[in-house]
Amino acid sequence: MKNLITIGLPSKGRLKDKAIAFFDNKGLKVLQSDKERNYFASIKNKPNIKIIYLHAKEIIQRLGDGTLDIGISGLDLLNESQKNLRDKINIKQKLNFGSANLVVAVPDDWIDVQTVADLEEVAFDIRSKRNTRLRVATKYPNLTNSFLISKGVTQYKLISSLGATETYPFIGSSEIITDITSTGKTLEDNNLRVLKDGLILKSAACLFVVKKKAASLQPFLNSLD
Amino acid sequence: MKSKKLSEQIIKTFKSSGFVFSEPDVLLDSEYIIQRSGENFKRSMLTFENEDGKLMCLRPDLTVASCIKFLEKKSKSKIYYSGQAYRSTDKKSSDLISDQLGIEILGSKNQLQDDFKVIKTILNSAEKIKSKKIHIKVGDIGLFKKLINSLEMPERWKLRLIRHFWRPKYFEELLERLERNSDIDSVAFDSDKKRFYEMKTMDQDKVIAGRSVAEILKRFNKKIKDPRSFSEGKQIVKIIRTFLKINCKLSKLDEKLLNFSKNNNLKKNIFKEFKSIQNLKKLNQKVIFITNFGRNIEYYTGVVFEIFSGKKEIARGGRYDDLLKSLGAKKNIPAVGAAINLKNI
């Protein structure tokens, strides 16, 4: 079909509901497929728009390779992605949901560590005493790297994590973590504490557009303002 | 080929000065390098996973690769190398592959003699291949450490400044913080003190995320005793900045340092031992001493130098007494070395 617009929306949870609500509020009613678990949807009276439900991370990838034209996903995921992907994607609008912070967290009982400066000292301590590195578990290696290096923490090693990162310090997989948190409850319940100056990124859901197609999508994007 | 001929000529000088050829491994265990240089360096390494899932890299630097070989007891102490190093940078124009040609004295027993030997050998080779006027710039990281240790300021600040001297941009941020005296807010301490007393009654050997309770409490204790607010930050930063502006002929250095100490009410003798630098007067060359120098490579610990032909830097090197230990040596193995910058020849 001519002028087909493909939109990627998060496939799960609150982010999915809020993303659908965002379109609904603009008078664009999202129509679910009859089959409950189908990953495709459409918009009422807009036959040229196709909606695909994807993992939030995947949305960034598919915007990057041009499979999607528009997508809703997290700013954290865009900023974490490789530069060649970021270069292809525009942030059209920061949305008022999905807000969360990427932070550096340490075990609560590391009472001597309150700031990144403390962490830097402890990292050197660990290195000089044991000739090993402070291990930082994370799902966000790129953002974590830039943040720590900019704050003078150089003596560490990243441990990549896929989930439940909060457990890592207590099962011997890492000493500290960086993770995304919206209320701080999960960190707190797992005996972790955010460093005073440990905010890496203030993230929120965003409406992303493929840079190359921004001009041709403009009429549709106007209806979202 | 012109460059090949030049390399041969340089190597001849190395050999006649008693350096023996060493060919370090091309493939190295990445973990080993990251363990030493941290995660940031990983970005510039060319890595791949071997069939066992182990992360390997192409040697990013011939000094590090030579040190590893030395530690495996596969090379002599006084060596030269000639080969390629592989490293990616953010700059688009720079090559992944660079030719490196240099000398190292690993396990340097006589600092004075070996520092001189390395500089002299490099200078000799430079003179043979270059017609333009040669001059040398030198610095000494050790002098900076001496200055910092002589200043009255909290221990943690001293260590911080020394640790980050080789990262000028971050170092400047530290100075700005020291100037404003903005460190850690005192409010946090009251709430933490309660937990401190609780933790004192715990099993001191208990490990919390890799650190024992004893270790945590010890550092906490040290931290609250280390003066938080001290008002001399501004004055101290002024002294450091003045020091980092010293840039003079080697022959004037004694006088300069003496004046510097006098003007800033420092003890006269804080800089008394820098014989390696003084020794360079024997080179009979134009030598410029710069305090703000050699700050781009983490592992230098003492003398650092660059040799220029006209405006082009054609060689650089320095002393690195901690590198071998950080690569796994059981004890400190002092070392000094230098490399020719073939691109500029």
Side-chain angles (χ1 to χ4, degrees):
Chain A
M1 188 187 292
K2 236 186 161 187
N3 301 327
L4 183 74
I5 299 173
T6 314
I7 302 176
L9 297 184
S11 56
K12 271 190 258 173
R14 277 165 55 86
L15 219 48
K16 176 182 180 181
D17 300 341
K18 296 265 188 179
I20 292 172
F22 168 77
F23 283 99
D24 279 355
N25 288 339
K26 306 282 175 191
L28 299 163
K29 176 108 186 83
V30 177
L31 301 173
Q32 304 295 337
S33 155
D34 299 339
K35 296 175 213 150
E36 196 193 329
R37 295 207 180 171
N38 191 283
Y39 283 122
F40 295 94
S42 56
I43 286 181
K44 195 177 174 185
N45 298 330
K46 298 269 182 190
N48 65 324
I49 295 177
K50 188 166 81 177
I51 287 178
I52 308 174
Y53 293 112
L54 292 163
H55 190 286
K57 213 171 183 174
E58 182 96 13
I59 290 175
I60 305 288
Q61 300 283 338
R62 298 289 82 83
L63 285 166
D65 68 15
T67 321
L68 297 174
D69 303 311
I70 295 172
I72 288 182
S73 184
L75 181 65
D76 54 333
L77 297 174
L78 178 78
N79 286 8
E80 174 62 22
S81 65
Q82 299 295 338
K83 191 177 174 297
N84 66 346
L85 272 184
R86 288 200 311 272
D87 287 347
K88 290 177 185 155
I89 301 170
N90 270 346
I91 302 170
K92 170 68 185 155
Q93 198 183 335
K94 224 174 174 173
L95 305 171
N96 61 359
F97 58 91
S99 60
N101 291 335
L102 180 63
V103 296
V104 183
V106 301
D108 226 351
D109 277 344
W110 282 20
I111 54 170
D112 59 327
V113 182
Q114 299 286 339
T115 63
V116 180
D118 281 324
L119 192 65
E120 184 258 344
E121 246 176 72
V122 168
F124 267 93
D125 252 14
I126 290 178
R127 181 180 160 193
S128 63
K129 279 186 195 139
R130 300 175 212 159
N131 218 1
T132 60
R133 302 265 156 185
L134 174 84
R135 292 166 305 164
V136 186
T138 185
K139 302 183 200 93
Y140 298 83
N142 296 328
L143 287 167
T144 301
N145 257 340
S146 336
F147 179 79
L148 290 178
I149 300 289
S150 76
K151 297 279 180 184
V153 186
T154 53
Q155 312 298 314
Y156 64 91
K157 191 177 151 186
L158 292 178
I159 304 290
S160 69
S161 156
L162 293 175
T165 316
E166 294 88 351
T167 61
Y168 279 54
F170 305 105
I171 56 174
S173 302
S174 78
E175 279 77 39
I176 67 160
I177 69 165
T178 73
D179 208 359
I180 197 94
T181 167
S182 44
T183 60
K185 181 101 175 64
T186 315
L187 289 174
E188 208 183 302
D189 286 354
N190 286 288
N191 302 316
L192 292 164
R193 163 172 48 82
V194 178
L195 292 180
K196 283 189 184 351
D197 51 355
L199 175 66
I200 301 174
L201 176 79
K202 244 182 146 55
S203 179
C206 290
L207 184 71
F208 297 117
V209 180
V210 174
K211 227 177 234 181
K212 262 192 188 163
K213 297 181 187 162
S216 62
L217 290 169
Q218 202 50 51
F220 174 70
L221 291 171
N222 287 342
S223 68
L224 294 177
D225 278 342
Chain B
M1 227 168 82
K2 204 180 150 207
S3 69
K4 201 179 169 197
K5 257 191 181 164
L6 282 172
S7 302
E8 277 167 8
Q9 241 177 334
I10 296 166
I11 288 171
K12 225 168 151 186
T13 318
F14 290 169
K15 277 185 183 164
S16 65
S17 307
F19 291 86
V20 184
F21 180 67
S22 161
E23 167 81 65
D25 293 337
V26 176
L27 284 184
L28 301 172
D29 181 347
S30 287
E31 281 293 310
Y32 203 47
I33 312 265
I34 297 166
Q35 195 70 353
R36 195 209 76 73
S37 45
E39 197 71 37
N40 194 35
F41 191 64
K42 194 177 172 184
R43 290 193 221 186
S44 58
M45 286 161 42
L46 301 176
T47 57
F48 68 95
E49 221 169 70
N50 73 6
E51 55 272 31
D52 302 330
K54 196 167 153 186
L55 203 60
M56 303 296 288
C57 71
L58 295 175
R59 61 187 182 201
D61 175 277
L62 280 163
T63 295
V64 172
S66 300
C67 285
I68 292 173
K69 194 172 180 198
F70 177 75
L71 288 175
E72 288 167 348
K73 298 199 166 47
K74 286 181 188 158
S75 86
K76 295 239 160 60
S77 144
K78 220 170 130 189
I79 58 133
Y80 77 85
Y81 55 76
S82 168
Q84 292 176 324
Y86 311 88
R87 205 189 282 194
S88 70
T89 62
D90 294 336
K91 288 181 213 145
K92 275 198 180 136
S93 57
S94 61
D95 297 330
L96 289 178
I97 303 172
S98 64
D99 287 311
Q100 293 190 349
L101 180 57
I103 50 176
E104 315 284 350
I105 301 180
L106 308 167
S108 150
K109 288 191 184 101
N110 186 330
Q111 180 184 334
L112 204 61
Q113 202 180 306
D114 292 345
D115 284 356
F116 190 78
K117 177 88 185 171
V118 165
I119 298 181
K120 182 74 183 157
T121 306
I122 288 286
L123 194 62
N124 285 346
S125 14
E127 276 168 343
K128 271 196 193 148
I129 49 176
K130 262 302 180 189
S131 51
K132 272 194 188 153
K133 206 166 162 44
I134 282 179
H135 68 276
I136 307 169
K137 288 183 181 171
V138 295
D140 188 340
I141 310 279
L143 282 189
F144 172 76
K145 282 187 192 164
K146 285 191 175 111
L147 170 73
I148 294 296
N149 283 324
S150 75
L151 296 170
E152 293 274 331
M153 70 174 130
E155 192 61 26
R156 65 180 191 288
W157 268 111
K158 289 187 182 181
L159 293 171
R160 230 175 250 167
L161 291 171
I162 290 172
R163 282 201 296 264
H164 293 286
F165 184 62
W166 62 278
R167 305 175 64 222
K169 209 175 134 212
Y170 183 70
F171 183 84
E172 184 54 35
E173 275 176 40
L174 284 178
L175 287 187
E176 280 165 19
R177 264 172 65 186
L178 183 58
E179 244 174 351
R180 291 194 312 268
N181 199 24
S182 62
D183 208 345
I184 298 148
D185 56 340
S186 56
V187 192
F189 284 113
D190 296 330
S191 55
D192 300 334
K193 258 187 191 159
K194 200 179 138 218
R195 186 67 188 143
F196 173 69
Y197 291 117
E198 282 167 14
M199 284 175 75
K200 266 186 137 172
T201 62
M202 283 165 66
D203 173 7
Q204 298 297 293
D205 293 331
K206 189 187 168 197
V207 173
I208 300 161
R211 299 172 73 215
S212 70
V213 170
E215 196 178 335
I216 294 166
L217 296 184
K218 191 177 159 200
R219 187 170 171 274
F220 184 84
N221 216 5
K222 202 173 140 199
K223 196 171 129 178
I224 48 177
K225 280 181 186 148
D226 200 15
R228 286 289 113 186
S229 61
F230 85 114
S231 50
E232 285 87 52
K234 211 166 183 175
Q235 178 59 22
I236 283 185
V237 170
K238 204 179 142 202
I239 295 175
I240 295 172
R241 289 198 204 280
T242 315
F243 175 78
L244 290 177
K245 278 185 193 136
I246 294 178
N247 182 336
C248 65
K249 280 188 189 154
L250 187 58
S251 51
K252 301 267 191 240
L253 182 60
D254 285 318
E255 195 190 324
K256 263 265 188 233
L257 288 177
L258 210 61
N259 281 339
F260 169 79
S261 303
K262 214 165 103 188
N263 293 340
N264 293 293
N265 297 321
L266 302 171
K267 280 186 199 136
K268 257 195 230 162
N269 57 358
I270 57 171
F271 299 120
K272 68 176 182 205
E273 276 180 45
F274 56 108
K275 288 192 189 123
S276 270
I277 294 282
Q278 304 287 25
N279 211 16
L280 299 183
K281 286 177 187 161
K282 285 198 243 159
L283 291 173
N284 286 325
Q285 279 280 350
K286 188 179 162 196
V287 180
I288 305 286
F289 181 88
I290 305 168
T291 41
N292 191 2
F293 190 68
R295 292 178 63 182
N296 44 2
I297 294 181
E298 182 189 3
Y299 54 67
Y300 287 138
T301 53
V303 169
V304 277
F305 66 91
E306 282 177 16
I307 294 175
F308 287 81
S309 163
K311 277 184 181 159
K312 278 187 173 167
E313 180 229 296
I314 54 170
R316 62 163 66 189
R319 175 158 283 274
Y320 49 95
D321 286 348
D322 300 334
L323 179 62
L324 282 126
K325 195 171 179 192
S326 75
L327 283 171
K330 293 229 165 58
K331 51 179 198 250
N332 274 330
I333 302 178
V336 54
I340 303 274
N341 186 349
L342 286 166
K343 261 194 197 154
N344 279 344
I345 291 177

